[in-house]
Amino acid sequence: MFRLDGKVALVTGGSRGIGRACCEALAEHGATVIVNYVKGEAAAREVCDAITAAGGKAEIAGFDVADSKAAEAAIDELAKKHGRLDILVANAGIAIDGLLLRMKDEDVSRLFDVNVRGALACARAATRPMMKARTGRIIFLSSVVGEMGNVGQTAYAATKAAIVGAAKSIAREFASRNVTVNAVAPGFIDTDMTHGMTDAMKEQLVKVIPLGRTGSAKEVAAACVYLASDEAAYVTGQVLRVNGGMYV
Ligand code: NAD
């Protein structure tokens, strides 16, 4: 089950955290994985090396998703080179936290540039080869805070809610081409993005997670593998929550 042999997958922001776990899990299930990075070329190479050492196939591709023209051109090239692009995991994202009253306009713009405009540019480019092939999988990374909100994360939460609206709309637009589009909404996952939190903040947060612990990047990656698989062919326009019951 969930085999992805012969498929080509692109994971944006694949050099660490949830992105890295997705790269490794997709490769483990047979996909050839393209590990996108923006600054961490060495880290992206390390992901590739780990995948090849485990018997999988991977390569790296450096581009900034927020530079939509460059991102689209890079994805067009990759699809041409491989003759296909079956799976996009639009994972690249940033968090800039702050209370609304202190939030700078440029931070709001930057969040939307990367988390929304960037993800949509990648999706737009990915749909071209998928439409031609009449099959494809697009998986966006949303967040529990996009659905339930969070103090100090107004703009970030807004970008993650926007992604859900986008996923549902793109799912409707491309259903006739057999391209499925879903969002995975992780809860509190232990990665570099959450390492800035103090132990006291983490303790408070874990108290509101019914499963009583934070999640791992691997647990999010498993949801992405499922949505990328043939077994999920009838699932589109959905939000798959991986949050330990934090929001039900
Ligand atoms: P992370 O900070 O460890 O990784 C984010 C990755 O995105 C990094 O590799 C980074 O280089 C890349 N990236 C950032 N800007 C980019 C750009 N302009 N172009 C290309 N790549 C870029 O974070 P993570 O925790 O692994 O988060 C991955 C995704 O999951 C994000 O979209 C995040 O919003 C979402 N998410 C994370 C959590 C969590 O608790 N960690 C919870 C919910 C949602």
Side-chain angles (χ1 to χ4, degrees):
M1 262 177 122
F2 311 137
R3 292 304 306 171
L4 301 170
D5 305 276
K7 303 211 188 273
V8 175
L10 167 64
V11 180
T12 63
S15 64
R16 69 180 204 196
I18 293 170
R20 177 179 180 146
C22 285
C23 290
E24 292 177 340
L26 291 165
E28 203 181 302
H29 284 78
T32 296
V33 175
I34 303 164
V35 184
N36 161 254
Y37 65 93
V38 63
K39 284 186 194 131
E41 182 175 344
R45 282 196 193 286
E46 202 189 299
V47 177
C48 267
D49 291 347
I51 289 173
T52 24
K57 291 188 217 113
E59 66 183 59
I60 61 169
F63 59 84
D64 180 347
V65 300
D67 182 347
S68 51
K69 281 211 173 81
E72 287 200 56
I75 294 171
D76 285 346
E77 266 311 300
L78 289 164
K80 211 190 279 172
K81 177 181 160 191
H82 289 275
R84 61 195 300 148
L85 180 61
D86 305 282
I87 301 156
L88 167 69
V89 182
N91 161 81
I94 55 167
I96 307 173
D97 295 342
L99 296 167
L100 176 67
L101 287 175
R102 297 202 197 118
M103 181 130 260
K104 293 193 201 109
D105 229 14
E106 54 267 36
D107 289 342
V108 178
S109 298
R110 181 70 192 147
L111 277 163
F112 274 87
D113 279 351
V114 177
N115 294 2
V116 181
R117 218 169 41 73
L120 295 188
C122 294
R124 186 162 57 220
T127 53
R128 289 194 276 267
M130 290 178 184
M131 260 195 308
K132 269 194 210 146
R134 294 200 163 261
T135 181
R137 298 277 187 272
I138 297 178
I139 301 153
F140 290 105
L141 264 295
S142 177
S143 167
V144 66
V145 303
E147 293 190 289
M148 62 184 280
N150 194 21
V151 172
Q153 289 200 303
T154 294
Y156 174 76
T159 66
K160 294 296 168 181
I163 276 304
V164 170
K168 292 183 179 189
S169 305
I170 304 168
R172 289 182 185 277
E173 284 186 25
F174 289 91
S176 64
R177 311 298 176 104
N178 204 28
V179 174
T180 69
V181 187
N182 294 287
V184 170
F188 179 36
I189 310 300
D190 213 5
T191 67
D192 288 340
M193 192 176 267
T194 49
H195 281 172
M197 294 177 81
T198 62
D199 285 346
M201 282 158 85
K202 284 186 189 171
E203 248 171 60
Q204 274 308 109
L205 202 63
V206 168
K207 278 189 195 150
V208 299
I209 303 172
L211 284 180
R213 63 172 178 87
T214 59
S216 72
K218 274 191 177 179
E219 287 170 318
V220 179
C224 293
V225 167
Y226 164 65
L227 290 173
S229 72
D230 288 346
E231 284 77 3
Y234 202 53
V235 179
T236 196
Q238 304 302 313
V239 180
L240 181 43
R241 299 178 182 129
V242 184
N243 64 21
M246 191 175 168
Y247 178 78
V248 292

